[in-house]
Amino acid sequence: MRFGARIFKTGLTVALALYISMWLGLENPVFAAIAAALTIQPSVYRSWKNGLEQIQSNIIGAFVATAFILTLGNEPYIIAMVVMLVIAINLKLKFEKSITLSVMTVLAMMTVPQDQFLKFGMSRFALVLIGVLSSFVINLFFFRPQYEKVLFARHKQLMDQIAISLRFFLDPGRDAKVSRQDIQNMKKQQKSAEELYQLLEEENTHFQKIRFSQQRKLVVYREMIQLTQEALRFLEKAEHHRSNLDNLGEPLQTTLADWLEKVAHAQERIYLLFEKKLRDLPSSSNDDLIPSLPLAEFQAHPEVFPVILYAEEYVSQLKHTVLMIQQLHASEETAEGETTA
């Protein structure tokens, strides 16, 4: 059993909502606890964005519930009508994520006796708002996730796995079924890396002042994610044409194997270069380190042209990623020089 930061944040949010509700003397603090648990988000920006949406949605739910209970009462069929109306309004405003909490607000307010509505209905609406605000406070001050650190580790691991797959792709002992499964697993890791990058970008771009150097670093991370995306596209296309590649003559097999080794080596250098564990080479050297497949040698085998085209796109992204890292280093050196001066 593993308790991550998200679980701890949810527990703290519920506790905070309950304590505030009890301190204010509000009855049924469970509504605040439910609202807090439903609105916790993985990042500060998303918590802020989601919180604003939830507040607007709950105001809509409270307004509609108040209007109906004061004019038509709170019979079950009236409550059902209000629930349907509130859902429709939320969908119209594209507040899909807030529907659950908005409906809960309606039910919390309309299930009290009509003659006590103003006292208890508004109290329950306040409880929901307390839960929403509690989730934002916890996200802001506790367990702020280190997205860059996690993204770096996970994506580097994915890059290393891709390099291994490239090196052993033509190995006669490699099982095709296992190879296809490896590609699917790596695609899942790629999806996870993309989600982490999105969280990192949101946190840096929308919710805090971002330095120019950090902007450049975000661009490099995006390029590296696109690199693994192109690599997986190539591997998937190559696996699809596996039989055609296996039927190539020995000279072409050797050419392809040498190319796979070189691009695997180039991909492994990416993070070493990014961490400045390798020195930047002149741009002209990239063509030698990351060669393209010689198209002329494969002209007699049009059945493998799709693989060659995907290989070219992969090489192009490799070169562009290296260039972006070099530009990042150059801008950092310029900034350090200006600071020193």
Side-chain angles (χ1 to χ4, degrees):
M1 186 178 294
R2 184 170 175 268
F3 290 93
R6 182 75 179 271
I7 296 175
F8 281 111
K9 283 200 299 185
T10 302
L12 283 175
T13 301
V14 169
L16 178 62
L18 289 171
Y19 277 122
I20 293 174
S21 302
M22 290 186 289
W23 179 66
L24 293 174
L26 299 174
E27 295 186 15
N28 296 313
V30 66
F31 289 108
I34 294 172
L38 288 175
T39 54
I40 195 72
Q41 294 292 313
S43 70
V44 176
Y45 170 70
R46 290 194 179 182
S47 180
W48 172 257
K49 184 179 178 181
N50 183 68
L52 289 177
E53 181 181 310
Q54 296 282 6
I55 289 172
Q56 293 176 73
S57 179
N58 280 297
I59 290 174
I60 291 169
F63 177 79
V64 176
T66 302
F68 271 76
I69 200 170
L70 293 178
T71 56
L72 299 177
N74 62 345
E75 294 297 323
Y77 74 92
I78 300 295
I79 297 176
M81 288 172 54
V82 173
V83 167
M84 290 187 288
L85 180 58
V86 167
I87 291 174
I89 294 173
N90 277 282
L91 290 174
K92 181 68 175 178
L93 297 175
K94 298 182 179 180
F95 289 169
E96 291 89 352
K97 295 180 180 179
S98 304
I99 289 175
T100 301
L101 205 58
S102 187
V103 169
M104 190 188 84
T105 300
V106 170
L107 296 176
M109 294 179 67
M110 296 191 73
T111 51
V112 298
Q114 190 172 358
D115 59 342
Q116 298 178 338
F117 171 74
L118 290 177
K119 178 182 178 181
F120 293 103
M122 293 305 167
S123 171
R124 291 186 178 184
F125 172 64
L127 286 167
V128 174
L129 290 183
I130 288 171
V132 173
L133 294 174
S134 295
S135 69
F136 175 71
V137 170
I138 293 299
N139 260 331
L140 184 61
F141 295 108
F142 295 91
F143 298 107
R144 294 192 68 166
Q146 303 296 317
Y147 291 121
E148 184 173 355
K149 182 179 179 180
V150 178
L151 174 63
F152 182 94
R154 290 188 185 177
H155 194 258
K156 186 176 184 298
Q157 183 183 31
L158 174 59
M159 295 269 274
D160 291 341
Q161 290 177 346
I162 290 173
I164 292 173
S165 295
L166 289 168
R167 280 200 170 92
F168 288 92
F169 185 80
L170 292 178
D171 192 300
R174 188 168 177 81
D175 185 277
K177 184 177 179 181
V178 173
S179 179
R180 287 192 293 270
Q181 185 61 50
D182 285 345
I183 292 172
Q184 293 305 312
N185 290 337
M186 287 188 288
K187 287 176 71 176
K188 292 178 182 178
Q189 293 179 50
Q190 169 73 13
K191 183 69 174 176
S192 175
E194 290 174 0
E195 292 172 353
L196 280 170
Y197 171 78
Q198 187 176 6
L199 289 168
L200 176 64
E201 185 182 40
E202 289 174 352
E203 200 80 349
N204 283 276
T205 306
H206 299 290
F207 211 78
Q208 61 183 18
K209 186 177 180 180
I210 182 170
R211 302 187 306 274
F212 178 72
S213 60
Q214 188 65 23
Q215 288 179 326
R216 296 295 294 266
K217 189 177 285 188
L218 282 172
V219 172
V220 171
Y221 275 126
R222 186 178 67 234
E223 289 297 324
M224 290 195 289
I225 287 174
Q226 289 177 349
L227 172 61
T228 49
Q229 191 176 57
E230 291 295 341
L232 290 172
R233 284 176 180 169
F234 165 74
L235 282 171
E236 199 165 32
K237 181 61 68 173
E239 189 62 52
H240 182 70
H241 291 270
R242 180 67 173 266
S243 59
N244 293 329
L245 294 173
D246 288 341
N247 291 331
L248 293 174
E250 185 174 343
L252 290 181
Q253 286 273 351
T254 302
T255 298
L256 184 57
D258 289 343
W259 178 82
L260 288 169
E261 173 61 36
K262 288 178 180 178
V263 294
H265 177 69
Q267 177 147 320
E268 287 174 330
R269 289 172 56 88
I270 292 291
Y271 267 102
L272 292 174
L273 184 63
F274 180 68
E275 294 180 278
K276 296 184 180 181
K277 293 180 179 179
L278 291 175
R279 63 185 178 88
D280 291 333
L281 297 175
S283 299
S284 58
S285 302
N286 291 336
D287 293 331
D288 298 326
L289 291 171
I290 316 170
S292 298
L293 270 172
L295 183 60
E297 296 184 25
F298 291 87
Q299 284 183 347
H301 299 275
E303 68 276 9
V304 299
F305 277 4
V307 179
I308 306 300
L309 292 176
Y310 273 79
E312 189 60 33
E313 291 179 6
Y314 176 32
V315 167
S316 177
Q317 184 62 43
L318 257 174
K319 292 179 179 179
H320 192 254
T321 302
V322 171
L323 178 62
M324 296 302 292
I325 292 174
Q326 291 173 336
Q327 290 178 352
L328 172 66
H329 291 172
S331 66
E332 290 175 341
E333 290 172 2
T334 301
E336 289 175 3
E338 292 175 352
T339 302
T340 303

